[in-house]
Amino acid sequence: MNLDFTEGELAFRDEAREWLREHVPAGPMPPLDTAEGFAARREWEATLAAARWSVVAWPEKYHGRDASMVEWVLFEEEYYRSGAPVRAAQNGISLLAPIIFEHGTPEQQDRYLPAMADGTEIWAQAWSEPEAGSDLASIRSTATRDEARGGWLLNGQKTWSSRAAFADRAFGLFRSDPTAERHRGLTYFLFPLDAEGLSIRPIAQLDGHPGFAELFFDDVFVPDADVLGAPGDGWRVAMSTAGNERGLSLRSPGRFCAAADRLLALWRERGAGHPHLRDRVVDAWLAAQAYRLYTWGTVTRLAAGGDVGAHGSVNKLFWSQLDVGLHEVALDLLGPESELRDEPWLDGYLFSLSGPIYAGTNEIQRNIVAERLLGLPKGGRGR
């Protein structure tokens, strides 16, 4: 692990810190999962893009700064430390964009990446189905070839589609060859959420806001130009997306370190009345620092030519459990006051509960760690 930053990296961090200090909105925005909150964050995405802070690791051609991975992590730490808003464009920037860079055609890159960078087009993730959550290979939604129009007809249902209630476009996997094996015959599609034949039904969360939606497809036409990767090769493309979701790109340590610092501030304010919670506050803060160091270790390994691979599952287990733990301690410090509707720690806690489920459930991740990293036998073997 290398934490000796160069003068250039420190200058990059200082520039980001100064810009954020001057531009982060002073007051909180409405909740992201409301029409008002989504619109406010779309404007924030445009503000970030205008100063080339929306996608710092991307090439300059697509509004980025060609930032290194070290610079990207430094920026993320400054972003969350500044109290900047949760980003509405996260699904597109963190999950889809790396796949478009890897598998997309030059035309797809030019068409989608600029609009993603400035918040003009915000993307939803459309993977899960009613009977296929973490077991992505069991999806039943179909893609049927339409030779006459040069594309595909999508049919079926997706559920728990993040941001789909307000987003512009979505990406998802469909079964294009029903005779193929489970992990074959799948194709990755990009499609607009206002397409003819596509219906959206928002799903209210515990707080009543539509953080998710169900999507119903009735002969939704998608041209060949919006197939990402080769037809039938969707599983390989999707696994690249999953690696990004479980690994570094979605859950940088800056988010949790900032929450741990807020927890310390809350302890200084309320701790005198709850001395029995002192050790839990310390444990939560230390866990956030441990996650930060673990992430910098991963960055060092990647910079040396390594890859995330199955270690992304360790990452996912780490941040999802850490997020729940941080918020549980904060709610205990607040006591009955934590149940107030506009309490930010309550909103954060409700969202943290989804962490062990999305991006592949933690049960699935423990299986991956056991089998691929520890070399343990698969469930049922050796009994």
Side-chain angles (χ1 to χ4, degrees):
M1 183 190 315
N2 183 7
L3 294 179
D4 295 325
F5 304 121
T6 67
E7 290 186 5
E9 289 164 347
L10 293 174
F12 179 91
R13 183 197 63 185
D14 292 344
E15 182 184 355
R17 180 180 295 172
E18 181 64 18
W19 187 88
L20 290 165
R21 187 184 64 79
E22 294 179 356
H23 291 85
V24 169
M29 290 183 177
L32 171 60
D33 296 323
T34 63
E36 297 79 8
F38 207 83
R41 284 165 178 78
R42 196 189 288 272
E43 292 183 10
W44 172 242
E45 296 291 342
T47 300
L48 286 168
R52 294 191 303 117
W53 289 114
S54 65
V55 285
V56 296
W58 290 14
E60 292 185 10
K61 175 182 179 182
Y62 298 119
H63 300 303
R65 289 173 175 253
D66 277 319
S68 67
M69 184 171 293
V70 169
E71 291 171 331
W72 174 77
V73 177
L74 288 173
F75 171 75
E76 291 283 298
E77 289 186 342
E78 294 303 321
Y79 187 88
Y80 287 106
R81 184 177 291 125
S82 72
V86 174
R87 301 193 53 184
Q90 192 97 320
N91 283 337
I93 290 171
S94 298
L95 301 181
L96 179 59
I99 311 309
I100 291 181
F101 277 118
E102 182 178 355
H103 298 278
T105 65
E107 188 276 338
Q108 288 174 328
Q109 293 171 357
D110 290 343
R111 182 153 50 109
Y112 292 126
L113 294 175
M116 190 185 299
D118 67 10
T120 304
E121 288 186 344
I122 293 181
W123 292 74
Q125 184 185 37
W127 277 12
S128 298
E129 297 187 4
E131 298 182 13
S134 293
D135 186 10
L136 190 61
S138 64
I139 62 170
R140 298 180 178 179
S141 294
T142 62
T144 307
R145 187 69 188 150
D146 185 337
E147 291 289 357
R149 289 192 284 176
W152 301 78
L153 292 175
L154 306 185
N155 283 282
Q157 178 185 354
K158 300 288 183 180
T159 192
W160 306 118
S161 296
S162 307
R163 313 288 180 240
F166 305 111
D168 306 291
R169 302 185 64 89
F171 52 93
L173 207 59
F174 291 76
R175 189 163 296 284
S176 53
D177 182 357
T179 65
E181 297 177 5
R182 275 165 42 92
H183 296 79
R184 302 179 186 278
L186 301 171
T187 300
Y188 204 114
F189 290 95
L190 312 174
F191 48 88
L193 287 171
D194 62 354
E196 183 178 354
L198 176 54
S199 301
I200 301 173
R201 182 187 299 167
I203 301 174
Q205 303 175 115
L206 286 172
D207 59 7
H209 300 314
F212 306 96
E214 292 178 289
L215 307 180
F216 299 88
F217 299 80
D218 182 10
D219 281 345
V220 175
F221 177 74
V222 178
D224 289 333
D226 284 340
V227 172
L228 187 55
D233 196 32
W235 179 259
R236 188 171 67 90
V237 179
M239 287 305 97
S240 299
T241 309
N244 282 303
E245 187 174 23
R246 294 166 189 163
L248 286 173
S249 62
L250 187 61
R251 291 294 173 254
S252 65
R255 176 186 174 201
F256 304 107
C257 289
D261 289 342
R262 291 199 304 275
L263 178 63
L264 274 186
L266 185 63
W267 166 261
R268 294 187 181 104
E269 178 186 339
R270 306 290 185 93
H274 304 277
H276 59 290
L277 296 177
R278 184 190 62 177
D279 288 352
R280 289 177 60 195
V281 172
V282 173
D283 288 345
W285 188 88
L286 286 174
Q289 305 312 309
Y291 179 67
R292 177 177 184 264
L293 294 176
Y294 177 82
T295 301
W296 278 115
T298 302
V299 170
T300 302
R301 187 172 73 250
L302 293 175
D307 57 38
V308 175
H311 289 277
S313 295
V314 178
N315 216 58
K316 200 271 175 171
L317 288 166
F318 207 147
W319 62 251
S320 59
Q321 295 177 163
L322 170 61
D323 202 19
V324 174
L326 280 166
H327 286 84
E328 284 181 338
V329 179
L331 294 188
D332 287 343
L333 273 170
L334 288 167
E337 186 181 330
S338 67
E339 297 183 15
L340 294 176
R341 179 64 184 82
D342 295 328
E343 170 53 55
W345 281 108
L346 177 60
D347 288 341
Y349 174 67
L350 295 178
F351 182 78
S352 75
L353 295 177
S354 63
I357 300 172
Y358 72 83
T361 66
N362 282 10
E363 287 75 14
I364 294 291
Q365 305 315 311
R366 291 189 181 93
N367 281 342
I368 293 173
V369 172
E371 296 167 12
R372 301 183 191 176
L373 296 181
L374 302 179
L376 299 177
K378 291 186 177 180
R381 289 182 180 178
R383 294 180 179 175

